[in-house]
């Protein structure tokens, strides 16, 4: 290579490096928000029907408003400082309950509107709740509306002959206006709507059922069954539909024609007249669960008298979502900051992955005058130490996850808030394996664990030792006495079960997901049981995905777990353990327990209901399919310059109540 | 020139092959690992899981998933929708995070080269003096101390004891300095040692002795006759250095709360976000391949003895 070229190359390289450095050091300066908090990680989505975790909930509770909202109610607990909360008016200015506790009438505010100025009407709630329940949305919290008639069948896609059904044709529109049947590709969306037909299901024709090979794995079998179900042909008597402005009403008795439908156009039993469809579902929104006599009135009919229904409407899965925005942009575009339309005290102004979500005050919120802080940054800071460093140097005003190692020092500080939360740390027991299938052994283990040592020497943030299932602090509920530690009793039980002095007990493994904190607790328990009952435990840690797999397949001896209340009612903890429940994963089953839970669900008297639930809990304690370890505390650190922050039972902190002491000082 | 374009074409062919191989291995490995993108503490009901699997084409036969996704990548550069960060496509995640990681890597490398070469030259010229010894001792420490330990020390020093830098975050030049220093330091240490060794070797060469004998000033001998030859090992180290800067940033991004792509890498893997994990693996593959090719090419240009093959 000639010398000149080499020189040119060297110069070129130097120029390129200079350009790169200039590029790398250019930044778009962004003024800091008035208030910033550690949100833990990125919200996975801003769609209220798809979100699940707490980083999402912190954003959604403040970017959207439901019929009701959780607000402080009454004086804080003098001992713990815990501020009781209750569901109070938000988009609904008031509501009434009928005497049978089955009908709720919500009266919406006249001035409720979306952040783009579109008014919010009762129809928005019907559409949102139908979307939340629709199987295509795959909302994990869909069960919160299962007390509405037909909701569960609609959501799980179960139809029976004779049902009044809706049929969605395979012609969903794409954002560009073309339709699926023209493009030839499915438009997979959260609750899109192609052409809807309504009618009565007359017959389901099924091709021969495929053979399930138990040798191959569950997923493959599930796929096989799924494909088989897609080839079913549905015969439906199509009913006449009457359009009345924005409402449609179905005249179920007026049969227009009889048609056949199938999801798979190449199904062996379909003929050329069979129309391609997405789903045949029970017509939830046409069967009277929800009524909208006018724009400001929403009537909800329940099938069970749920005393906690009002507080469910204050939880984000039941918040309304903007139909006009979702239909215009579709998923995932509608949640982009430039497109999203919401109705809460704040709107999403900016979202940068791994960095922040910026919330900006929504001037169109019904109570905007009371909102003090204009901009809030929810930083996706994950590192516990990083967050504390940022807090100490003034980059953060609120830390939601302080470092565990420093708990003892931090606890002493005035800006440290720890208060009991409705959540439980526990160990699942595989009740199908020997020797843990014997309730006496489970009780013996539970009674031999010294929880005080765990909360005082390991977790150290003021957690409360747990001997029962339901955390204290739910109004009107008193847990039955739990299994307090009692070594003599534990030893006696062990002997009774045939293992005097722990002799002959096979090795038992504790499974936990890899984490320092979980390991420390498991080690303490390992040592305690070795010393007291002479039971040898082995510890096994697993990475999160594999750990969940093992737990769900009940392929463990003892496995750690945690549960946070979905709503402030004992039922959220108790119904986990019904036979075959999706979260049960212990193999435990008790018909009396199941019966009590069912009875409680149908009970209209609040006191009797709580008594039934307490009875169920005492059975659970007697049988110990799960060992409760401690009740979590909600831990937060908030700068003294912030007013309006208080610990709450579900760790919900409405941003609109926060004020900075000196509004002029940005930081 | 013809030689060069032929070489680049061949390398491009190899890159496609490597990408394909990496794609295949990752695809198989990801599906062999237990767990799936939809597993969570709250068990997802089977009906819902089926809907989710259909949304991401995971209900198709594996071979169809394999080809559909590969065709999408090759024809449209479309890496699909992230399964876990469902408001984003993988391309969007990369577009947001890559500039951050790139800025950080560029600053770290520039810092490492400047500091490393300077220190190497000084300690070679003043071989055996206190300056040489102390610099080389520091370099050994620099290589031995992992960057996350260095980061903790640096935060203690420059954030709390002498508050000149902010603790974490992204958006100003001040915020990027500390992470870039921590990321670049081990590389700088290595470069310093390489430069020193190269300098010592060239200093003992005959043409250098001749230059000194002709009475050329020391400064121009060192800069014109010694340094270019001594830098060859440094240039060849730049490939691995880029790799170490890119992978090293995974940890630093967490410590300094930087919105780069490194942290997505870890999350995509632990949360079984198949599409995002694939996007990350392929991006890193292409990046490292391109950097290595650039290094090879520049090596051949600087040193006439090297032929591109």
């Amino acid at each position: 290579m000639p010398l000149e070229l080499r020189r040119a190359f060297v110069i070129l390289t130097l120029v390129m490096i200079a350009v790169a450095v200039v590029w790398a050091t250019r930044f778009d300066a962004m003024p800091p928000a008035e208030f910033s908090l550690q949100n833990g990680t990125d919200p996975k989505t801003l769609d209220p029907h798809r979100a699940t975790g707490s980083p999402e909930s912190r954003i959604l509770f403040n970017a959207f408003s439901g019929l009701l909202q959780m607000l402080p109610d009454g004086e804080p607990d003098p001992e713990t400082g815990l501020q009781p909360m209750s569901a109070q008016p938000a988009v609904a200015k008031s509501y009434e309950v009928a005497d049978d506790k089955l009908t709720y009438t919500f009266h919406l505010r006249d001035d409720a509107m979306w952040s783009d100025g579109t008014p919010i009407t009762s129809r928005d709630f019907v559409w949102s709740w139908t979307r939340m329940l629709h199987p295509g949305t795959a909302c994990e919290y869909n069960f919160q509306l299962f007390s509405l008639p037909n909701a569960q069948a609609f959501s799980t896609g179960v139809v029976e002959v004779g049902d009044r059904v809706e049929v969605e044709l395979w012609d969903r529109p794409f954002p560009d206006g073309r339709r699926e049947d023209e493009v030839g590709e499915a438009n997979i969306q959260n609750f899109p709507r192609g052409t809807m037909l309504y009618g009565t299901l007359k017959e389901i024709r099924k091709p021969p059922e495929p053979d399930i090979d138990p040798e191959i794995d569950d997923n493959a079998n599930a796929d096989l069954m799924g494909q088989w179900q897609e080839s079913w042909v549905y015969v439906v008597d199509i009913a006449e539909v009457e359009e009345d402005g924005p409402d449609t009403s179905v005249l179920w008795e007026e049969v227009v024609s009889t048609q056949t439908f199938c999801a798979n156009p190449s199904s062996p039993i379909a003929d050329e007249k069979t129309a391609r469809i997405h789903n045949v579902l029970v017509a939830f929104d046409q069967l009277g669960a929800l009524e909208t006599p006018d724009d400001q009135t929403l009537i909800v009919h329940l099938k069970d008298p749920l005393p906690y229904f009002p507080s469910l409407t204050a939880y984000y899965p039941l918040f309304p979502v903007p139909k006009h925005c979702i239909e215009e942009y579709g998923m995932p575009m509608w949640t982009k900051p430039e497109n999203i339309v919401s109705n809460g005290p704040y709107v999403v102004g900016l979202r940068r992955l791994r960095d922040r979500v910026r919330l900006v005050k929504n001037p169109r919120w019904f109570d905007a005058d009371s909102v003090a802080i204009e901009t809030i940054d929810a930083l996706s800071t994950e590192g516990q130490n990083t967050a504390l460093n940022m807090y100490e140097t003034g980059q953060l005003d609120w830390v939601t996850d302080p470092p565990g190692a420093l708990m003892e020092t931090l606890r002493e500080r005035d800006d440290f808030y720890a208060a009991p939360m409705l959540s439980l740390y526990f160990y699942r027991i595989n009740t199908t394996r020997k020797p843990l299938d014997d309730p006496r052994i489970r009780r013996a283990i539970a009674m031999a664990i010294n929880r005080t040592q765990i909360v005082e020497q390991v977790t150290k943030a003021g957690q409360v030792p747990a001997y029962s299932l339901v955390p204290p602090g739910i109004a009107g509920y008193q847990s039955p006495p739990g299994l307090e530690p009692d070594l003599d009793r534990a030893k006696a039980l062990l002997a009774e079960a045939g293992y005097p002095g722990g002799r002959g007990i096979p090795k038992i493994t504790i499974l936990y997901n890899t984490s320092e904190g979980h390991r420390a607790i498991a080690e303490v328990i390992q040592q305690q049981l070795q010393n007291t009952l002479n039971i040898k435990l082995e510890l096994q840690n697993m990475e999160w995905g594999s750990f969940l797999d093992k737990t769900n397949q009940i392929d463990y001896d003892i496995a750690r777990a945690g549960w946070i209340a979905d709503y402030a009612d004992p039922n959220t903890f108790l119904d986990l353990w019904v036979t075959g429940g999706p979260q049960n994963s212990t193999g435990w089953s008790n018909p009396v327990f199941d019966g009590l839970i069912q009875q409680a669900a149908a009970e209209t008297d609040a006191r009797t209901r709580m008594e039934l639930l307490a009875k169920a809990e005492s059975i659970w304690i007697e049988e110990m399919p799960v060992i409760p370890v401690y009740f979590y505390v909600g831990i937060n650190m908030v700068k003294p310059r912030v007013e309006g922050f208080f610990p709450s039972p579900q760790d919900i902190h409405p941003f609109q109540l926060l004020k900075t002491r000196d509004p002029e000082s940005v930081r | 020139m013809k030689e060069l374009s032929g070489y680049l074409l061949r390398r491009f062919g190899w890159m496609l092959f490597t990408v394909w191989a990496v794609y295949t291995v990752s695809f198989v490995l990801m599906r062999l690992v237990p767990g799936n993108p939809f597993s969570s503490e709250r068990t997802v009901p089977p009906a819902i899981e089926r809907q989710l699997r259909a949304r991401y084409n995971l209900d198709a036969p594996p071979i169809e998933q394999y080809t559909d996704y590969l065709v999408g990548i090759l024809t449209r550069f479309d890496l699909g929708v992230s399964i876990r960060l469902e408001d984003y496509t993988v391309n969007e995640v990369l577009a947001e995070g890559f500039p951050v990681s790139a800025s950080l890597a560029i600053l770290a490398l520039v810092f490492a080269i400047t500091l490393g070469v300077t220190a190497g030259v000084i300690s070679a010229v003043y071989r055996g003096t206190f300056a040489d010894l102390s610099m080389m001792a520091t370099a050994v420490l620099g290589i031995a101390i992992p960057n996350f330990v260095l980061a903790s020390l640096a935060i203690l020093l420059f954030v709390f004891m002498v508050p000149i830098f902010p603790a974490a975050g992204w958006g100003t030049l001040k915020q990027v300095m500390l992470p870039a220093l921590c990321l670049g330091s081990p590389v700088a240490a290595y470069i310093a040692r390489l430069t020193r060794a190269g300098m010592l070797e060239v200093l003992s060469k005959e043409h250098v002795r001749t230059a000194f004998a002709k009475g050329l000033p020391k400064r121009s001998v060192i800069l014109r006759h010694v340094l270019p030859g001594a830098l060859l090992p440094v240039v060849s180290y730049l490939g691995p250095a880029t790799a170490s800067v890119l992978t090293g940033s995974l940890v630093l991004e967490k410590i300094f709360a930087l919105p780069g792509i490194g942290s997505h890498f870890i999350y995509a893997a632990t949360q079984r976000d198949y599409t995002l994990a694939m996007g990350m693996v392929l991006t890193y593959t292409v990046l490292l391949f391109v950097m290595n090719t650039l290094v090879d090419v520049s090596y051949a240009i600087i040193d006439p003895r090297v032929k591109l093959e």
Side-chain angles (χ1 to χ4, degrees):
Chain A
M1 202 153 292
L3 197 64
E4 297 75 41
L5 201 66
R6 294 226 306 271
R7 283 237 171 87
F9 173 78
V10 170
I11 292 168
L12 185 73
T13 313
L14 288 176
V15 169
M16 271 168 60
I17 291 175
V19 170
V21 169
V22 169
W23 174 81
T25 49
R26 279 186 37 163
F27 291 98
D28 294 330
M30 192 171 53
E34 281 176 38
F35 177 86
S36 36
L37 63 118
Q38 175 201 13
N39 202 18
T41 185
D42 286 320
K44 294 196 173 68
T45 170
L46 298 181
D47 185 334
H49 295 158
R50 296 283 314 136
T52 48
S54 38
E56 293 80 3
S57 76
R58 280 191 205 103
I59 306 289
L60 293 174
F61 272 122
N62 296 291
F64 288 87
S65 278
L67 287 169
L68 306 177
Q69 57 182 338
M70 290 307 256
L71 285 178
D73 184 9
E75 288 303 305
D77 185 309
E79 218 173 284
T80 56
L82 201 64
Q83 170 70 57
M85 308 269 275
S86 70
Q88 294 171 33
V91 175
K93 58 179 188 248
S94 64
Y95 69 94
E96 293 120 35
V97 200
D99 289 338
D100 58 1
K101 308 268 169 70
L102 290 175
T103 308
Y104 284 80
T105 309
F106 292 93
H107 303 285
L108 271 53
R109 281 172 200 277
D110 304 325
D111 57 348
M113 60 173 97
W114 295 103
S115 56
D116 62 353
T118 315
I120 299 175
T121 68
S122 49
R123 274 185 208 90
D124 282 318
F125 283 90
V126 176
W127 190 84
S128 302
W129 290 6
T130 314
R131 176 180 189 259
M132 186 267 222
L133 284 168
H134 193 275
T137 310
C139 174
E140 282 190 37
Y141 284 108
N142 57 0
F143 63 88
Q144 297 204 329
L145 278 180
F146 280 2
S147 51
L148 269 60
N150 297 313
Q152 186 161 6
F154 174 70
S155 197
T156 47
V158 178
V159 279
E160 279 162 20
V161 172
D163 281 346
R164 290 175 166 177
V165 294
E166 57 169 52
V167 179
E168 186 187 359
L169 294 184
W170 206 74
D171 62 355
R172 290 176 182 172
F174 282 95
D176 61 5
R178 294 183 305 163
R179 297 198 322 257
E180 280 175 327
D181 47 342
E182 296 164 355
V183 182
E185 243 177 73
N187 180 14
I188 308 275
Q189 282 283 335
N190 297 326
F191 192 48
R193 296 298 239 182
T195 306
M196 302 304 296
L197 299 174
Y198 297 89
T200 310
L201 184 61
K202 244 174 70 180
E203 189 192 345
I204 304 176
R205 296 182 193 142
K206 302 174 184 177
E209 198 172 334
D211 294 326
I212 290 302
D213 182 356
E215 296 290 308
I216 57 176
D217 71 315
D218 292 348
N219 267 344
N221 279 330
D223 281 348
L224 217 57
M225 292 307 280
Q227 282 162 17
W228 176 59
Q229 280 173 11
E230 276 178 13
S231 63
W232 293 1
V233 171
Y234 299 86
V235 185
V236 182
D237 282 340
I238 299 297
E240 198 172 314
V241 174
E242 207 169 65
E243 303 269 339
D244 172 22
D247 292 318
T248 52
S249 55
V250 181
L251 309 168
W252 295 102
E253 305 302 329
E254 307 286 318
V255 175
V256 189
S257 63
T258 301
Q259 291 183 35
T260 57
F261 302 98
C262 182
N264 177 1
S266 51
S267 164
I269 53 169
D271 54 41
E272 64 273 20
K273 278 200 194 136
T274 306
R276 186 169 183 191
I277 51 158
H278 281 283
N279 298 300
V280 173
L281 298 169
V282 174
F284 167 75
D285 58 346
Q286 296 294 338
L287 292 174
L290 300 168
E291 284 178 63
T292 54
D294 60 59
D295 279 358
Q296 262 67 49
T297 312
L298 176 71
I299 302 175
V300 183
H301 297 282
L302 302 181
K303 65 183 178 34
D304 303 316
L306 281 197
Y308 52 87
F309 185 75
S311 64
L312 287 185
T313 66
Y315 200 50
Y316 66 83
L318 266 62
F319 286 1
V321 290
K323 180 182 183 211
H324 56 289
C325 175
I326 295 175
E327 285 184 340
E328 184 176 349
Y329 299 106
M331 175 204 76
M333 291 309 288
W334 84 271
T335 50
K336 299 279 172 208
E338 62 271 24
N339 301 338
I340 192 168
V341 169
S342 64
N343 72 332
Y346 289 88
V347 291
V348 178
L350 173 112
R351 185 177 178 196
R352 274 205 319 226
L353 272 180
R354 286 275 164 257
D355 187 35
R356 74 190 65 200
V357 174
R358 174 161 289 187
L359 295 172
V360 183
K361 182 173 162 177
N362 174 10
R364 291 198 164 104
W365 191 53
F366 54 84
D367 199 11
D369 295 342
S370 71
V371 181
I373 302 179
E374 293 282 336
T375 49
I376 293 182
D377 269 352
L379 302 184
S380 317
T381 318
E382 269 172 11
Q384 295 181 322
N385 293 320
T386 310
L388 189 63
N389 288 344
M390 291 173 81
Y391 179 80
E392 292 294 297
T393 53
Q395 279 177 282
L396 273 177
D397 298 298
W398 172 13
V399 172
T400 55
D401 183 21
L406 297 175
M407 223 37 109
E408 264 168 307
T409 338
L410 296 177
R411 265 186 90 175
E412 306 300 319
R413 294 171 42 157
D414 286 341
D415 53 353
F416 184 88
Y417 299 85
M421 232 177 104
L422 294 180
S423 53
L424 173 71
Y425 186 100
F426 59 91
Y427 276 171
R428 278 198 173 87
I429 299 182
N430 183 347
T431 60
T432 61
R433 267 191 201 171
K434 278 197 175 309
L436 295 170
D437 57 342
D438 186 337
R440 287 173 297 191
I441 310 259
R442 303 198 292 260
R443 288 166 62 84
I445 293 179
M447 281 194 275
I449 296 176
N450 180 354
R451 274 83 150 186
T452 316
Q453 190 190 354
I454 294 172
V455 298
E456 279 176 4
Q457 295 176 13
V458 185
T459 59
K460 290 184 196 163
Q463 285 85 351
V464 183
Y467 307 106
S468 57
L469 173 63
V470 181
I474 296 178
Y477 185 78
Q478 185 61 50
S479 278
L483 277 186
E484 301 272 343
D486 183 346
L487 269 183
D488 297 333
R489 188 85 193 84
K491 282 177 183 159
L493 274 172
L494 212 57
E496 211 179 291
Y499 302 100
R503 277 189 296 279
I505 292 201
K507 202 168 255 179
I508 298 171
T509 309
I510 297 186
L511 181 73
Y512 59 95
N513 56 302
T514 313
S515 137
E516 285 294 309
H518 300 325
R519 194 187 66 202
I521 292 171
E523 277 172 353
V524 171
I525 291 180
Q526 181 187 34
Q527 215 163 42
Q528 288 176 352
L529 291 184
Q530 163 87 53
N531 294 347
T532 53
L533 297 185
N534 193 23
I535 295 180
K536 286 181 191 58
L537 294 178
E538 222 168 65
L539 305 189
Q540 187 186 15
N541 73 79
M542 241 178 223
E543 165 282 334
W544 185 237
S546 322
F547 166 79
L548 288 176
D549 243 27
K550 283 267 182 205
T551 313
N552 292 339
Q553 292 163 4
I554 321 189
D555 181 13
Y556 63 87
D557 296 333
I558 298 180
R560 75 123 308 247
W563 191 258
I564 302 174
D566 287 328
Y567 40 88
D569 189 90
N571 196 52
T572 178
F573 289 95
L574 286 162
D575 79 349
L576 301 176
W577 312 109
V578 297
T579 304
Q583 326 300 335
N584 185 319
S585 302
T586 60
W588 184 68
S589 155
N590 185 311
V592 186
F593 178 87
D594 295 355
L596 284 167
I597 299 289
Q598 258 176 20
Q599 243 178 298
E603 179 57 57
T604 46
D605 181 60
R607 264 197 48 200
T608 325
R609 183 174 164 276
M610 289 300 192
E611 278 163 20
L612 287 168
L613 290 175
K615 229 188 242 175
E617 190 181 359
S618 63
I619 293 177
W620 184 90
I621 291 171
E622 194 66 23
E623 291 258 318
M624 272 284 127
V626 158
I627 301 177
V629 180
Y630 64 79
F631 299 119
Y632 283 94
V633 283
I635 306 170
N636 294 288
M637 291 180 72
V638 182
K639 286 265 148 127
R641 75 177 187 106
V642 177
E643 273 174 23
F645 185 93
F646 43 80
S648 75
Q650 283 176 284
D651 214 9
I652 296 174
H653 309 279
F655 293 175
Q656 76 262 24
L657 302 180
L658 301 178
K659 287 184 175 61
T660 46
R661 211 154 264 157
D662 175 10
E664 293 304 306
S665 81
V666 167
R667 184 152 278 112
Chain B
M1 267 295 89
K2 210 172 161 192
E3 184 189 21
L4 181 67
S5 53
Y7 171 78
L8 287 181
L9 213 62
R10 269 202 311 280
R11 287 294 291 227
F12 185 69
W14 273 110
M15 186 175 87
L16 288 186
F17 177 76
T18 314
V19 166
W20 171 75
V22 167
Y23 172 82
T24 309
V25 172
S26 322
F27 186 91
V28 173
L29 283 181
M30 271 189 249
R31 274 151 184 86
L32 282 182
V33 188
N36 69 62
F38 313 116
S39 42
S40 72
E41 201 148 19
R42 179 192 300 280
T43 322
V44 184
I48 287 187
E49 193 175 316
R50 231 187 12 254
Q51 288 280 347
L52 288 170
R53 287 159 59 80
R55 180 180 298 175
Y56 300 104
N57 195 23
L58 294 174
D59 56 344
I63 206 74
E64 198 182 310
Q65 294 179 35
Y66 175 87
T67 45
D68 280 1
Y69 193 41
L70 188 62
V71 166
I73 294 172
L74 290 181
T75 55
R76 287 171 273 134
F77 295 108
D78 178 9
L79 291 159
V81 181
S82 166
I83 300 180
R84 282 288 183 151
L85 289 167
E86 51 182 80
D87 293 352
Y88 286 84
T89 64
V90 176
N91 295 38
E92 283 170 337
V93 174
L94 287 172
E96 274 199 22
F98 185 72
V100 175
S101 293
S103 300
L104 185 62
I106 288 171
L107 292 178
L109 275 180
V110 168
F111 160 74
I113 295 169
T114 322
L115 182 70
V117 171
T118 317
V121 170
I122 294 176
S123 62
V125 173
Y126 302 101
R127 179 167 32 139
T129 62
F130 175 73
D132 175 29
L133 283 176
S134 57
M135 266 192 279
M136 282 307 113
T138 319
V140 170
L141 272 182
I143 294 170
I145 297 178
N147 58 20
F148 54 92
V149 177
L150 197 66
S152 309
L153 288 175
I155 289 177
L156 204 60
L157 270 175
F158 298 117
V159 176
F160 287 103
M161 292 168 81
V162 192
I164 38 177
F165 291 117
W170 184 260
T172 60
L173 189 57
K174 260 188 169 177
Q175 280 172 322
V176 74
M177 299 291 264
L178 214 48
L181 291 187
C182 295
L183 191 55
S185 295
V187 182
Y190 205 84
I191 289 180
R193 288 176 57 83
L194 281 178
T195 313
R196 181 175 180 272
M199 288 285 290
L200 291 181
E201 197 197 323
V202 182
L203 275 171
S204 64
K205 288 270 166 63
E206 310 230 311
H207 72 273
V208 178
R209 203 178 310 154
T210 319
F212 275 122
K214 281 199 313 196
L216 282 179
K218 188 173 180 181
R219 183 197 177 87
S220 73
V221 178
I222 302 270
L223 287 183
R224 303 201 61 173
H225 300 282
V226 183
L227 195 56
L231 281 185
L232 284 178
V234 176
V235 171
S236 63
Y237 170 64
L238 284 182
T242 317
S244 102
V245 165
L246 284 175
T247 49
S249 71
L250 307 195
V251 188
L252 288 177
E253 277 175 20
K254 186 164 179 188
I255 298 179
F256 289 102
L258 305 177
I261 54 172
S263 41
H264 292 301
F265 206 144
I266 304 168
Y267 276 89
T270 55
Q271 304 196 322
R272 310 287 187 273
D273 189 335
Y274 295 153
T275 43
L276 187 56
M278 186 63 89
M280 290 293 147
V281 172
L282 294 184
T283 310
Y284 275 78
T285 311
V286 170
L287 214 57
L288 291 179
F289 210 94
V290 168
M291 289 315 292
N292 276 328
T293 308
L294 283 182
V295 166
D296 286 352
V297 170
S298 49
Y299 201 68
I301 294 175
I302 296 170
D303 187 348
R305 289 166 300 181
V306 174
K307 288 268 175 291
L308 285 172
E309 264 169 15

